[in-house]
Amino acid sequence: MQEHRSDQFQVNKGLDMSKEIFSKDETLSMRRKLIGQSIKLFYSDNPVKIVRGRGQYLYDEKDVRYLDCISNVHHVGHCHPDVTRAATAQMELLNTNSRFLHDNIISYANRLSATLPDKLSVFYFVNSGSEANDLALRLAQQYTQHEDVIVLDHAYHGHLKSLIDISPYKFRKLSGQKEWVHVAPLPDIYRGLYREDHPNPGEAYADTVRDVIEDVHSKGRKISAFFCESLPSVGGQIILPQGYLTKVSEYVRSAGGVLVVDEVQTGFGRVGSHFWAFQMQGEACCPDIVTMGKPMGNGHPLACVVTTEEVAGAFAGTGVEYFNTFGGNPVSCAIGLAVLNVLEQEDMRGNATRVGAHLKDLLNKLRTKHQIVGDVRGVGLFLGLELVVDRELRTPATEVAAAVVKRLREERIFVSTDGPFESVIKFKPPMCFSIADADLVAQKIDHVLTDMPVVIP
């Protein structure tokens, strides 16, 4: 019966499905027919067909090489040989339901625990950042016995319905804000309420969360959690002002809630100076729940939630079993362990610090040269270049940013935009990104901006 359906498909679509490789046009045509149209492609007007990758490079069907500044998922580099060897070896030996006793999940949790504050000691392995954030939401609500959540404006925490509900980036385009969701201002010192000239923006922005809590209480409601990314990414590569999370955690815990930190984009040494981005806020900052994903498996679906014994105990106290068939399976954990090994053996945190500082310096030089560059921000290999039409008014140059992305693609460099106005060109490359790569990126951006028509009034 299956062979019959396959034959029918070939006749109906007019394509030879037995071919191992399709032309780019065939692939695009089939994708448009078979894949949901809301699943967008990069460079949708002229997509790139990628057939292989290595390190920080991707190659198309004509073997043209592109420098990848987008794929933070492939944390230690596309197809790192140590990671692929670990995956293959474990796959040949065993991959099974994570409810069987196995050493890999214990070894991996133990390695991760060494990077975290002592109180974060109980792990739940899942398959994606969205799964992790959904579970974190459940943990927080069960522990506190409250429902309401505070999130940052422009936040995005995943594609499950529960997470769309706490992601202003998404829900404002859909059904709107739920009554149990409350939005605090994004602590953006470039274009937010309190800017770089404020004497203490961390405290000022934290006080806006206190105000939200007071408003929630005035309505007879209670807070379960403050949910935020350690470094807001979709919000525009934002670096939280110093002291912000520590002060927010005081307000939230006083209100009976917990601090949930989303490290799906920023964990595993991307900031260079620390293993986790929340650690940049100082030793006094310790979340109650941390979620992690994307870089954990270097492209393999692997994610995690870590929390305290108290929160985990309340979750177990329901008497309802939690299990995840694939989360923490032997292959996933073998891959996770290999990623940790590569990070250490190749000093990728040190590389992120050195190369990130070099690239940031080059981008700041572009800011001096080009009036359209309004701001350069970030840390390690998490950087943003914000383009503005008017520096004084900080008017976002959305169309120019899109044009720069398109032109850089022609120069064989992949970047993309983020931020509330899609005016921030973001850099989150694989951690093996080099000084030479940074030089090339800055040179090409300089060339593109120099070559563009003057848009500043």
Side-chain angles (χ1 to χ4, degrees), residues 103-117 120-121 123 125 268 275-276 292 296 306 333-345:
D103 288 343
N104 283 7
I105 190 171
I106 302 304
S107 297
Y108 189 38
N110 189 53
R111 286 281 297 278
L112 286 175
S113 69
T115 70
L116 291 156
L120 293 170
S121 59
F123 294 82
F125 289 100
F268 294 84
F275 200 87
W276 305 103
M292 52 192 84
M296 290 184 76
V306 59
C333 290
I335 291 170
L337 284 163
V339 169
L340 293 181
N341 289 339
V342 172
L343 283 171
E344 293 177 6
Q345 292 164 6

Side-chain angles (χ1 to χ4, degrees), residues 118-190:
D118 289 343
K119 81 170 192 175
L120 293 170
S121 59
V122 183
F123 294 82
Y124 301 83
F125 289 100
V126 295
N127 304 291
S128 70
S130 289
E131 267 195 284
N133 282 333
D134 176 76
L135 178 56
L137 187 60
R138 290 178 59 189
L139 289 166
Q141 291 175 333
Q142 180 61 41
Y143 175 69
T144 63
Q145 292 295 293
H146 303 153
E147 180 183 24
D148 291 36
V149 175
I150 300 174
V151 294
L152 293 178
D153 206 358
H154 308 294
Y156 175 66
H157 294 291
H159 61 76
L160 300 182
K161 186 178 185 302
S162 61
L163 305 176
I164 297 296
D165 286 345
I166 64 168
S167 298
Y169 169 71
K170 290 291 186 181
F171 71 58
R172 289 204 170 111
K173 302 173 185 176
L174 296 169
S175 58
Q177 186 172 337
K178 299 292 191 293
E179 64 176 355
W180 55 274
V181 177
H182 312 278
V183 180
L186 180 69
D188 178 358
I189 63 170
Y190 178 67

Side-chain angles (χ1 to χ4, degrees), residues 8-306:
Q8 282 295 107
F9 183 87
Q10 292 177 37
V11 171
N12 291 341
K13 303 303 180 183
L15 291 172
D16 180 5
M17 298 300 292
S18 67
K19 289 171 58 177
E20 293 184 359
I21 299 176
F22 303 110
S23 71
K24 178 180 173 180
D25 288 343
E26 286 175 333
T27 302
L28 184 57
S29 176
M30 291 167 63
R31 182 183 174 101
R32 286 171 175 165
K33 292 175 182 177
L34 296 171
I35 307 301
Q37 291 302 299
S38 58
I39 304 173
K40 301 295 186 183
L41 288 164
F42 288 129
Y43 311 104
S44 56
D45 59 333
N46 183 20
V48 186
K49 183 176 180 180
I50 297 300
V51 299
R52 66 185 180 95
R54 194 72 167 189
Q56 63 272 50
Y57 302 109
L58 292 169
Y59 299 81
D60 70 13
E61 79 282 7
K62 297 179 180 178
D63 210 35
V64 174
R65 190 180 80 172
Y66 296 81
L67 178 59
D68 183 4
C69 302
I70 294 173
S71 296
N72 61 317
V73 178
H74 303 90
H75 195 57
V76 298
H78 293 278
C79 302
H80 193 289
D82 289 2
V83 177
T84 57
R85 274 194 294 268
T88 302
Q90 183 60 54
M91 183 66 81
E92 289 179 340
L93 183 64
L94 172 72
N95 194 30
T96 188
N97 194 304
S98 56
R99 297 173 79 181
F100 286 108
L101 189 64
H102 196 273
D103 288 343
N104 283 7
I105 190 171
I106 302 304
S107 297
Y108 189 38
N110 189 53
R111 286 281 297 278
L112 286 175
S113 69
T115 70
L116 291 156
D118 289 343
K119 81 170 192 175
L120 293 170
S121 59
V122 183
F123 294 82
Y124 301 83
F125 289 100
V126 295
N127 304 291
S128 70
S130 289
E131 267 195 284
N133 282 333
D134 176 76
L135 178 56
L137 187 60
R138 290 178 59 189
L139 289 166
Q141 291 175 333
Q142 180 61 41
Y143 175 69
T144 63
Q145 292 295 293
H146 303 153
E147 180 183 24
D148 291 36
V149 175
I150 300 174
V151 294
L152 293 178
D153 206 358
H154 308 294
Y156 175 66
H157 294 291
H159 61 76
L160 300 182
K161 186 178 185 302
S162 61
L163 305 176
I164 297 296
D165 286 345
I166 64 168
S167 298
Y169 169 71
K170 290 291 186 181
F171 71 58
R172 289 204 170 111
K173 302 173 185 176
L174 296 169
S175 58
Q177 186 172 337
K178 299 292 191 293
E179 64 176 355
W180 55 274
V181 177
H182 312 278
V183 180
L186 180 69
D188 178 358
I189 63 170
Y190 178 67
R191 60 169 66 255
L193 287 173
Y194 307 106
R195 299 188 172 181
E196 64 274 9
D197 57 351
H198 192 281
N200 192 343
E203 183 172 343
Y205 276 113
D207 286 349
T208 67
V209 178
R210 177 201 59 198
D211 295 342
V212 171
I213 293 172
E214 291 176 355
D215 183 61
V216 171
H217 287 175
S218 73
K219 297 173 182 176
R221 306 183 69 93
K222 299 291 186 181
I223 295 296
S224 70
F226 176 77
F227 217 113
C228 79
E229 295 173 271
S230 299
L231 303 177
S233 178
V234 170
Q237 306 294 91
I238 303 300
I239 304 300
L240 298 179
Q242 197 61 35
Y244 174 75
L245 275 185
T246 303
K247 195 68 177 176
V248 165
S249 67
E250 293 176 12
Y251 292 142
V252 172
R253 287 168 181 153
S254 294
V258 296
L259 174 63
V260 181
V261 166
D262 180 341
E263 288 271 355
V264 170
Q265 295 271 6
T266 57
F268 294 84
R270 176 156 295 277
V271 300
S273 58
H274 299 81
F275 200 87
W276 305 103
F278 75 80
Q279 293 169 328
M280 293 171 58
Q281 291 280 304
E283 292 185 4
C285 178
C286 181
D288 302 287
I289 302 172
V290 174
T291 63
M292 52 192 84
K294 293 184 188 299
M296 290 184 76
N298 210 52
H300 179 85
L302 173 61
C304 184
V305 181
V306 59

Side-chain angles (χ1 to χ4, degrees), residues 361-425:
D361 180 61
L362 294 175
L363 296 178
N364 272 311
K365 289 177 180 177
L366 293 181
R367 184 178 182 275
T368 301
K369 183 176 180 180
H370 299 281
Q371 283 292 307
I372 199 166
V373 178
D375 190 39
V376 175
R377 54 181 173 265
V379 61
L381 288 174
F382 181 90
L383 299 174
L385 181 77
E386 178 145 9
L387 303 185
V388 294
V389 175
D390 185 302
R391 275 194 180 179
E392 184 175 347
L393 298 176
R394 305 189 179 187
T395 312
T398 302
E399 292 182 2
V400 178
V404 170
V405 168
K406 187 174 181 180
R407 283 286 305 278
L408 287 175
R409 175 260 175 91
E410 296 170 2
E411 299 287 348
R412 309 292 185 256
I413 296 173
F414 291 151
V415 294
S416 58
T417 59
D418 247 331
F421 306 100
E422 293 291 338
S423 56
V424 180
I425 297 173

Side-chain angles (χ1 to χ4, degrees), residues 413-447:
I413 296 173
F414 291 151
V415 294
S416 58
T417 59
D418 247 331
F421 306 100
E422 293 291 338
S423 56
V424 180
I425 297 173
K426 60 182 179 180
F427 301 91
K428 292 184 289 186
M431 295 277 280
C432 50
F433 205 72
S434 70
I435 292 289
D437 296 326
D439 290 340
L440 178 64
V441 167
Q443 175 192 343
K444 294 298 185 182
I445 294 175
D446 184 23
H447 172 72

